[in-house]
Amino acid sequence: EPASLKLGDWSVDLKSRRAICRTDPAKSLTSAEFALLEILAETPNTPVSRAQILDRLGAESDRYIDRNVDVLVLRLRRKIERNPDLPRHIKTRRGKGYVLDTDDGEPSP
């Protein structure tokens, strides 16, 4: 599991639990958004199912249902993706879940 991530304008330090946006330092992640990012970062480039995400949210999972995971992903994408409609970092794998793509290359067409 990586100790830090570079996601577009964001630098994320998973050990100190800090996420800093280079272009807008006032932007921040909620604790739930950061928890989701941590879950995805544990197995980069590997899909994590909604059920696994709910399970990993632990005690908070009573508050969440499948669609809440989708909303949480959308909120996180709106913050860290340059174009949330064409995400480069948090991608959906239909039928499998969500994946954190750590490839810094250009998005494929």
Side-chain angles (χ1 to χ4, degrees):
E1 142 187 1
S4 63
L5 302 168
K6 175 95 173 85
L7 302 171
D9 293 336
W10 287 84
S11 293
V12 181
D13 186 331
L14 297 167
K15 290 202 186 294
S16 68
R17 294 187 51 89
R18 295 186 62 197
I20 299 167
C21 181
R22 183 175 44 81
T23 56
D24 185 358
K27 261 187 183 177
S28 63
L29 301 180
T30 66
S31 60
E33 291 164 349
F34 200 93
L36 172 62
L37 192 54
E38 282 181 309
I39 291 165
L40 295 174
E42 286 176 2
T43 54
N45 306 309
T46 304
V48 181
S49 72
R50 283 189 193 98
Q52 289 171 308
I53 291 169
L54 285 170
D55 184 54
R56 288 297 315 282
L57 289 172
E60 296 181 27
S61 65
D62 293 343
R63 296 184 359 205
Y64 297 106
I65 57 173
D66 273 6
R67 291 297 165 210
N68 289 87
V69 171
D70 298 340
V71 171
L72 188 58
V73 167
L74 179 61
R75 285 185 3 216
L76 184 56
R77 279 180 177 159
R78 284 181 179 157
K79 288 185 178 178
I80 68 168
E81 298 284 358
R82 287 202 176 124
N83 181 353
D85 295 328
L86 295 170
R88 282 183 60 191
H89 306 295
I90 300 175
K91 298 182 178 178
T92 303
R93 293 288 181 256
R94 203 169 292 286
K96 295 187 189 291
Y98 296 102
V99 62
L100 179 67
D101 187 343
T102 58
D103 180 19
D104 278 343
E106 288 302 307
S108 46

